[in-house]
Amino acid sequence: MTYAQPDPSIDPDTLPRMPSWVTSARAETPEDVAFLSGAALSHLHLVLGRYEVPQALLRDRLALRAAEACVAVSGRPEREAELRDAVHLLRPGDLPGPAGETYLACRRAVERPLSVKALGRALPILEPGQIAAWLDAGQGAPVTRAAMVLEAVLREAPRAEVAALVFADAALAQALGWEYLVPLLAAGLKRADLRKQGDDLAVACHRALISSVVEAVRCSADLARRAAHLKAVAPKLRAKGAGDAVELFLTCDAVAPSALPLPDRAARRLCDRLLDLGAVRELTGRDTFRLYGV
């Protein structure tokens, strides 16, 4: 596979920056909070339309943040490193455990264009009719609609926090006209927020989105720079299958050498080469069972 060369006219450092008045303003009233979350979402909408942002990789990384937040809400101790291990070091026949299942659900929810079928793949224990009914539970402006879906799911299934947050993000994406679900609400909402209802829950969602969107925009800019560098060094890679390997790094938050379309030794050499070129990072700090990511 010949990897497409980056367009030299595209500079990832020219991504629009979040206005400082969004990040520094202190919103005291519900109207102020709604205004700032709307401004933040509008800015993210522009960023998501930029070619230089690796969209699948961004969604996968945000899915990790969402999973970490969901696991914390459930009272479990696993965090980012443990979640990566639970999913990316799985061997055939292994079970990922409760935390790993949460991470898998969040990842699957963002992998394919948003639909009832795609959400059913992420949460296979739910019937398509139930998924469709919950998605239709909201109405009105995008954040209001998301909050209504979140409340509807938790009212019927109080312990289904993961499903509730996934469907709320799905409702938000639908209302905003996004093709894919972008995980935002879980990382910004607190456990106590999930017990709120009505206007109080809507305000909590607005507040959560301000902080989550700011982080998503920052992550977009960082990944755009890293992806541009990886694409720039790709022609230096001579291993057969290197192009497909680069594509995998541009799609997944973390990659184990065993997941690359190369023999084991060649895969490890490629990861070391990319590490030397500064194109990927080693994510675990270990000497064995290593994971790499852009």
Side-chain angles (χ1 to χ4, degrees):
M1 173 179 177
T2 301
Y3 196 80
Q5 293 297 297
D7 185 341
S9 67
I10 295 175
D11 181 1
D13 288 326
T14 64
L15 281 178
R17 299 180 184 276
M18 181 72 73
S20 59
W21 53 264
V22 174
T23 58
S24 62
R26 293 186 60 185
E28 302 294 345
T29 68
E31 292 78 12
D32 289 341
V33 175
F35 174 77
L36 289 175
S37 76
L41 285 168
S42 179
H43 186 83
L44 178 61
H45 185 82
L46 293 176
V47 170
L48 293 178
R50 295 292 290 257
Y51 168 84
E52 58 267 48
V53 176
Q55 306 290 341
L57 176 56
L58 174 65
R59 293 194 304 272
D60 200 37
R61 187 147 296 174
L62 293 179
L64 175 62
R65 293 183 66 237
E68 186 178 35
C70 288
V71 168
V73 164
S74 71
R76 297 191 61 86
E78 292 90 347
R79 293 299 179 262
E80 183 179 279
E82 291 84 4
L83 291 174
R84 280 176 171 145
D85 284 355
V87 168
H88 295 291
L89 298 181
L90 272 180
R91 293 175 297 184
D94 284 352
L95 297 175
E101 289 286 2
T102 295
Y103 184 23
L104 283 173
C106 292
R107 293 191 77 209
R108 288 168 179 162
V110 306
E111 285 176 347
R112 300 183 180 186
L114 183 55
S115 67
V116 170
K117 183 177 180 180
L119 293 174
R121 180 174 175 270
L123 297 159
I125 64 171
L126 299 175
E127 295 292 330
Q130 179 66 82
I131 294 173
W134 275 338
L135 283 179
D136 289 339
Q139 57 185 336
V143 181
T144 301
R145 179 176 169 181
M148 292 176 70
V149 169
L150 180 61
E151 183 175 347
V153 177
L154 291 176
R155 182 171 56 247
E156 295 184 39
R159 300 186 66 180
E161 293 96 344
V162 175
L165 290 162
V166 166
F167 293 146
D169 274 325
L172 180 68
Q174 283 183 330
L176 292 170
W178 293 348
E179 184 180 5
Y180 289 86
L181 185 156
V182 180
L184 295 170
L185 284 165
L189 288 169
K190 300 178 176 62
R191 188 173 187 174
D193 291 330
L194 300 182
R195 296 194 290 270
K196 295 177 179 177
Q197 298 178 342
D199 291 343
D200 290 339
L201 179 58
V203 170
C205 287
H206 280 296
R207 289 190 185 278
L209 286 168
I210 296 170
S211 60
S212 289
V213 168
V214 167
E215 173 58 24
V217 170
R218 185 208 63 76
C219 187
S220 298
D222 179 56
L223 291 179
R225 287 190 294 270
R226 294 179 181 277
H229 181 54
L230 176 57
K231 292 176 183 178
V233 305
K236 300 178 181 179
L237 307 174
R238 302 304 179 193
K240 185 178 180 181
D244 291 333
V246 167
E247 192 65 38
L248 193 59
F249 280 112
L250 290 171
T251 304
C252 297
D253 163 73
V255 177
S258 59
L260 296 177
L262 296 162
D264 287 347
R265 184 173 295 179
R268 289 194 296 271
R269 282 201 304 266
L270 177 63
C271 289
D272 289 340
R273 175 67 170 148
L274 288 170
L275 199 61
D276 291 340
L277 292 169
V280 302
R281 298 170 295 156
E282 202 289 310
L283 302 172
T284 68
R286 298 187 296 246
D287 293 328
T288 58
F289 300 103
R290 306 180 94 188
L291 297 173
Y292 299 84
V294 171

